Amino acid sequence: MHGTAAPATRKRGRKSFWLKQLHTWHWMSSAISLIGLLLFALTGITLNHAADIEAKPAVAEQAATLPAPLLAQLAPGGNDDTTDATGDDRRPLPVAVRSWLEQTLSMRAGGQAEWSPDEVYLALPRPGGDGWIAIDRATGEVTAETTDRGWIAYLNDLHKGRNAGTAWAWFIDIFAIACFVFALTGLVLLQLHARHRRSTWPLVAAGLVLPALVAIFLVH
C-alpha cells in the first residue's frame, strides 16, 4: 500500500509545484505588462482612427549665430574636415558646438549630422514631433525648427517605436517577452481548468477563427 501511495503522492506534489509556478509566472508577467498593455491597447485604437483624429502641429523656429571660435571648428578646409565634394559625410558635431547649441536653443544636438561643403544639417526626429538644426559653415548662421504634433501622436509613435531610441526599443522587447509569458501561462492554466469550464476551448477557437475570417474575407 505504501509503495503504491508514494508515487501518487509524488505525482500530486509535482503537479502542485508546477501549478504554483504557473500561477506565479502568470501574475508576475501580467503585473509587468499591465501598464504597457493598457498603453498599447489605447494607442491601437488611436492608430486605427488616426485619420479621424485632428492634429494641429505646433511649429517653432529659432535663429542664432555661432561664435567665431566655434565656427572655426566647422569651417571648410579645417584640419578635421573630411567633407568631400559630394557632401557625403556623416559625423557628430564637435562637443563644444553641440554644448553651445543645446544651451542656446534648448534642443538636443546629439547624433550624426550631415556635413556638406556649405552647411551642417542635424535631423532631430522624436516621438510625436520633429526637429532640425542647420548651420551655415561660412557665416555661422544657425537656423532651427521644432514641430510638436501633440500627445496622441507622441503615444502613437511610442506604440510603433518610431524615433524613440535604444532604451525604448529594449522596453518593447522586454514587454513583448512578458506578454508572451503571460499569454502562454494563461493558455496552460486554461487547459488545466478547461474540464470545469466547457466554454473555454470554443472561446479560444473563436479568438483564432474570427480574426482569420476577417483577414481572409474582409481585408482588401
Side-chain angles (χ1 to χ4, degrees):
M1 293 293 292
H2 292 289
T4 305
T9 301
R10 287 196 296 270
K11 184 177 180 180
R12 286 195 299 270
R14 287 195 299 270
K15 182 178 180 180
S16 177
F17 169 79
W18 285 112
L19 187 60
K20 290 179 180 178
Q21 291 298 310
L22 283 171
H23 278 100
T24 299
W25 297 339
H26 189 66
W27 79 257
M28 290 182 68
S29 59
S30 67
I32 292 172
S33 60
L34 174 61
I35 303 303
L37 280 171
L38 292 174
L39 171 65
F40 276 74
L42 173 64
T43 50
I45 296 172
T46 57
L47 281 169
N48 197 40
H49 296 276
D52 302 321
I53 301 174
E54 294 185 5
K56 296 181 179 180
V59 180
E61 298 180 352
Q62 299 184 73
T65 301
L66 199 66
L70 298 180
L71 179 58
Q73 299 184 37
L74 307 183
N79 293 332
D80 298 328
D81 188 21
T82 59
T83 309
D84 58 24
T86 64
D88 187 15
D89 185 14
R90 292 180 61 86
R91 51 193 162 96
L93 292 167
V95 175
V97 175
R98 173 181 172 180
S99 178
W100 183 88
L101 290 171
E102 291 181 344
Q103 293 178 7
T104 304
L105 304 176
S106 297
M107 296 173 63
R108 298 181 65 180
Q112 299 290 315
E114 299 176 13
W115 295 65
S116 70
D118 301 320
E119 181 184 69
V120 178
Y121 179 85
L122 179 63
L124 299 170
R126 58 186 175 82
D130 204 351
W132 53 266
I133 299 173
I135 307 171
D136 189 304
R137 299 180 70 181
T139 65
E141 180 181 353
V142 179
T143 307
E145 182 179 285
T146 56
T147 302
D148 187 348
R149 299 186 181 90
W151 68 270
I152 293 179
Y154 175 78
L155 293 177
N156 286 347
D157 283 348
L158 289 183
H159 182 110
K160 296 180 289 186
R162 179 175 178 267
N163 301 322
T166 304
W168 186 256
W170 274 102
F171 166 77
I172 290 179
D173 287 342
I174 295 171
F175 164 72
I177 293 171
C179 287
F180 180 80
V181 173
F182 174 58
L184 186 61
T185 53
L187 182 62
V188 176
L189 288 172
L190 281 176
Q191 192 275 330
L192 292 175
H193 297 293
R195 69 180 66 180
H196 304 297
R197 299 168 184 170
R198 295 183 178 179
S199 61
T200 295
W201 297 123
L203 289 174
V204 172
L208 170 64
V209 173
L210 289 178
L213 291 176
V214 171
I216 294 171
F217 295 107
L218 299 179
V219 174
H220 301 286

